[in-house]
């Protein structure tokens, strides 16, 4: 494709006269261009050009392809979709260009030889065929390398950008690629295009494959086949939660992904690529199971550490029965409570065990037991219960943590002690590679007792990093509800551990909050047993069911929210939870509708557009990633406090101030990929949280997502009031569908293996 054809639909060719604004982080630039040629015609005029450019030079001539758009404040602008720096084509001008200071090592005579040998496309020719410089007499190897590198530095970036945009990459993504590889960009996209899948967020196998095929990589090229195998395995772990994939399944799915029309990848090619990936330590095969290397070592490391903790030596009875009963009595008196027999068993097991699991559904007293464990542990060991009496050298002996910020906050409120997220506890900054098996040192945590809540949310990677940091003499109590959804990431940690006989478990089964009149708890336990209560459609003091069809759901939810607002509830008090993102009753559509109700767009309020979403002051938002540096985490809910336009800030960047539970965090526009509107959320995102009012739509159109554990997780998020709206048949379908998604994991078996068996298998 010639440049003329490439820029034929709409283009501007001219000289950059002034850079008005530039943001180095993503290359977003506003410039003034003196136009020489253009389609549509705007010759000899000055045009404001906006776009993402890795490098832009004043007084240089460029050709920009894009469209004119009218900005509401700044008027007519040319928005660039692709661009290319212009190189002189006339012989004399081109010789002068090559002989300039831009290209050290090329003098006047060498420049003339090069132009005469390769013509007016000399730079493109040399960049595509560096070995051709051998045709120019008088150039030794060092000079040839110097010339090629100078050309790569001066023109390779534009060539790389042009290549990327021609093959369907947007300018912002092309800039991201360039900022990752810099002067190696051209080399990577020409020689290793599949590397983009792993290095650049937002590029999957299909985009990289389109680039690879366009630059001539064959369908059975070993690098393409290896990338396809890795991609299938990675997607299976991240999308379906598997820790490994059966070998035959991996090969079958890789074959489907990699085959082109009637051309099938041969079995030999797949086998050879799989072997190379294992030799490169990217994959591990254990019998007929294939792991990503990081997950294999995470599973192995976690199981080894658990067995090590369980073997920790302790006295038969560290504390006499009389002393334990005395501590129980003192704690009961202090809290004004009388512990049931089941709860006393759980407390005693926690005090005496190096590692134990406390499980139970809502209302069974898990929080009550946690408080008692903390108090009695401190009393029996003679520790002060006042955290202020401790120092950095001798820290408080009990650590409390949970996978999400909301869960940690609930833990803190219920115990009165400091609780953090696991990421913060481990000192993660958010920049580490969570798939690495050893980036945190072993045994770094300080303390005597660690209590982790909401363990069902722990994936294999994070669990391994947490247990690596636990000293061998620290006691561990894991708390969770086995009937909730498993982790979003790979593994089913709590389920596997509960099936391991060597791990002490106390399952609380007596429901206490039900006796206090909570019909939400009654409903949860009924669902847990696989039954839909006969009174589901009868109004209760803390829950209601509104029958409606899919096309009515938005109106019903809006009406319920409006009624709650009239009673004094705010958008932060109300959480709508939907099983799916797409469709008229999905998370995205419901967020759009509820934003109009809770915070309708108002010209008096500042706003910012990001993708298809408009954020405005007072909007409720959800954090989607861990931002440890700012102290906000995946699942945290907050509000848009205010928005400052670029002209109002010192560094001339738009700033969005978000408020998370009175913690203000400043984001720039490019950080908005970390948040979404949160009037409605997915059920997975609400794990570990509680809300005063929860609204759950249930429709048969959600059929492929409906599971008992999904419904159970949704309704147990309601603290005070639960609204279910939709179709009773959808409720019934979800309750009857107790099948849990099968996750391939070997944790249960590895936890049950003795060390000799494990050593044999590993060898």
């Amino acid at each position: 494709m010639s440049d003329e054809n490439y820029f034929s639909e709409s283009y501007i060719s001219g000289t950059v006269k002034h850079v008005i604004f530039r943001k180095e982080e993503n290359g977003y630039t506003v410039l003034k261009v003196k136009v020489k040629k253009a389609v549509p015609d705007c010759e000899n005029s000055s045009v404001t050009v906006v776009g993402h450019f890795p490098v832009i030079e004043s007084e240089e001539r460029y050709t920009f392809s894009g469209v004119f758009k009218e900005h509401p404040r700044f008027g007519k602008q040319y928005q660039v979709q692709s661009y290319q720096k212009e190189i002189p084509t006339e012989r004399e001008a081109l010789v002068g260009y090559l002989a300039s200071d831009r290209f050290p090592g090329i003098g006047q005579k060498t420049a003339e030889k090069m132009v005469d040998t390769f013509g007016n496309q000399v730079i493109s020719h040399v960049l595509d065929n560096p070995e051709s410089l051998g045709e120019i007499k008088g150039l030794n190897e060092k000079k040839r390398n110097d010339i090629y590198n100078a050309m790569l530095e001066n023109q390779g970036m534009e060539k790389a950008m042009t290549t990327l945009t021609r093959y369907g990459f947007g300018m912002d993504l092309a800039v991201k690629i360039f900022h990752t590889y810099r002067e190696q960009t051209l080399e990577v996209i020409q020689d290793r295009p599949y590397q983009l899948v792993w290095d650049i967020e937002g590029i999957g196998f299909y985009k990289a494959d389109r680039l690879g095929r366009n630059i001539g990589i064959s369908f059975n090229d070993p690098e393409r086949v290896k990338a396809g195998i890795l991609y299938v395995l990675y997607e299976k772990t991240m999308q379906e939660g598997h820790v490994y994939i059966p070998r035959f399944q991996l090969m079958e799915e890789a074959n489907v992904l990699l085959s082109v029309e009637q051309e099938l990848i041969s079995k030999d090619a797949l086998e050879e690529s799989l072997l190379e990936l294992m030799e490169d330590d990217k994959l591990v095969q254990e019998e007929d199971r294939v792991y990503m290397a990081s997950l294999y070592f995470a599973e192995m490391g976690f199981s080894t550490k658990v067995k090590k903790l369980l073997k920790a030596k302790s006295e038969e009875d560290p504390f006499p029965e009389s002393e334990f009963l005395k501590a129980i009595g003192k704690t009961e008196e202090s809290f004004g409570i009388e512990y049931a027999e089941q709860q006393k068993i759980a407390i005693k097991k926690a005090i005496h065990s190096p590692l134990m699991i406390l499980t139970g559904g809502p209302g069974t007293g898990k929080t009550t037991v946690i408080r008692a464990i903390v108090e009695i542990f401190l009393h029996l060991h003679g520790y002060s219960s006042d955290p202020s009496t401790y120092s950095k050298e001798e820290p408080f002996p009990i650590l409390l943590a949970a996978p999400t910020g909301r869960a940690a906050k609930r833990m803190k409120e219920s115990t009165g002690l400091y609780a953090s997220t696991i990421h913060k506890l481990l000192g993660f900054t958010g920049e580490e590679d969570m798939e690495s098996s050893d980036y945190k040192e072993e045994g770094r945590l300080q303390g005597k007792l660690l209590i982790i809540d909401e363990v069902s949310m722990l994936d294999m990677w994070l669990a391994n990093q947490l247990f690596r940091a636990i000293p061998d003499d620290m006691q561990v109590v894991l708390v969770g509800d086995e009937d909730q959804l498993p982790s979003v990431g790979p593994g089913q940690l709590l389920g596997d551990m509960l099936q391991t006989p060597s791990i002490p478990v106390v399952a609380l089964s007596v429901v206490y909050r039900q006796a206090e009149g909570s019909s939400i708890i009654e409903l949860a336990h009924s669902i847990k047993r696989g039954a839909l209560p006969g009174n589901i459609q009868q109004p209760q003091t803390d829950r209601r069911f509104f029958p409606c069809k899919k096309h009515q759901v938005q109106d019903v939810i809006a009406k319920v929210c409006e009624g709650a607002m009239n009673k004094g509830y705010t958008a932060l008090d109300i959480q709508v939870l939907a099983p799916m993102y797409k469709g008229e009753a999905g998370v995205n559509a419901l967020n759009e509708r509820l934003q109009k109700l809770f915070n309708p767009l108002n010209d008096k309020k500042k706003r910012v557009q990001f993708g298809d979403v408009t954020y405005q002051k007072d909007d409720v938002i959800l954090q989607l990633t861990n931002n440890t540096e700012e102290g906000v985490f995946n699942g945290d809910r907050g509000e848009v406090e205010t928005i400052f336009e670029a002209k109002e800030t010192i560094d001339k960047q738009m700033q969005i101030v978000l408020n998370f539970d009175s913690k203000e965090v400043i984001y720039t526009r490019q950080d908005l990929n970390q948040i979404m509107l949160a009037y409605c959320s997915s059920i997975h995102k609400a794990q570990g949280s509680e809300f005063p009012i929860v609204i759950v739509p249930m429709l048969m159109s959600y059929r492929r997502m409906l599971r008992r554990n999904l419904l159970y997780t949704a309704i147990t998020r309601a603290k005070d009031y639960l609204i279910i709206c939709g179709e009773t048949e959808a409720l019934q379908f979800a309750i009857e569908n107790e099948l849990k998604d099968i996750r391939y994991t070997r944790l249960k078996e590895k936890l049950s293996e003795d060390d000799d068996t494990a050593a044999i298998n590993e060898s």
Side-chain angles (χ1 to χ4, degrees), residues 382-396:
Y383 295 124
S384 168
S385 60
D386 181 3
S388 66
T389 62
Y390 295 87
S391 64
K392 188 174 182 181
E393 290 72 28
E394 287 191 33
F396 192 68

Side-chain angles (χ1 to χ4, degrees), residues 671-691:
D671 297 324
L672 294 181
N673 63 349
Q674 296 183 33
I675 66 169
M676 65 174 286
L677 290 175
Y679 302 105
C680 180
S681 165
S682 72
I683 296 167
H684 273 97
K685 285 291 183 186
Q687 278 185 274
S689 300
E690 273 189 348
F691 310 94

Side-chain angles (χ1 to χ4, degrees), residues 361-473:
T364 56
K366 292 194 300 294
T367 298
T368 301
V369 171
I370 290 172
R371 290 178 67 200
I373 292 169
V374 168
E375 195 70 20
I376 292 169
F377 184 90
L378 292 170
H379 176 78
L380 290 174
H381 286 83
Y383 295 124
S384 168
S385 60
D386 181 3
S388 66
T389 62
Y390 295 87
S391 64
K392 188 174 182 181
E393 290 72 28
E394 287 191 33
F396 192 68
I398 299 177
L399 301 173
L400 305 179
T404 67
R406 297 283 298 185
K409 184 182 178 185
R410 286 173 53 203
M411 205 177 187
K412 181 179 179 181
E413 290 169 349
S414 63
T415 62
L417 294 173
Y418 176 76
S420 76
T421 64
I422 295 171
H423 286 83
K424 191 170 184 179
L425 178 71
L426 297 176
F428 293 163
T429 65
E431 297 178 356
E432 295 90 350
D433 176 9
M434 273 308 298
E435 299 168 25
S436 169
S437 61
D438 58 0
Y439 67 83
K440 286 290 174 187
E441 66 270 27
E442 290 197 50
R444 63 175 296 274
L445 294 179
Q446 291 181 281
K448 297 299 180 182
L449 174 65
L450 171 65
I451 303 177
I452 301 292
D453 200 4
E454 299 288 353
V455 176
S456 63
M457 300 176 68
L458 268 182
D459 65 35
M460 197 68 258
W461 278 314
L462 184 57
N464 180 48
Q465 296 301 338
L466 171 63
F467 271 65
R468 278 177 58 83
I470 296 173
D472 293 341
D473 62 347

Side-chain angles (χ1 to χ4, degrees), residues 1 36 93 189 213 219 258 366 394 433 455 699 750:
M1 181 186 294
K36 299 298 181 186
I189 63 177
R213 302 308 304 280
F219 88 102
L258 292 163
K366 292 194 300 294
E394 287 191 33
D433 176 9
V455 176
L699 300 164
K750 287 180 179 176

Side-chain angles (χ1 to χ4, degrees), residues 546 548 552-564 574-578 584-586 590 593-594 597-598 679-680 695-699 702 723-726:
F546 293 106
C548 60
Q552 299 170 314
V553 161
Q554 285 196 22
D555 291 336
V556 170
I557 291 176
K559 193 169 183 180
V560 170
C561 291
E562 197 170 358
I574 306 164
Q575 182 65 72
V576 181
L577 297 175
E584 62 181 304
L590 287 169
R593 174 66 182 272
L594 293 172
L597 173 68
F598 285 111
Y679 302 105
C680 180
I695 303 169
V696 183
M698 277 285 121
L699 300 164
Y702 300 142
I723 303 290
I724 302 175
C725 58

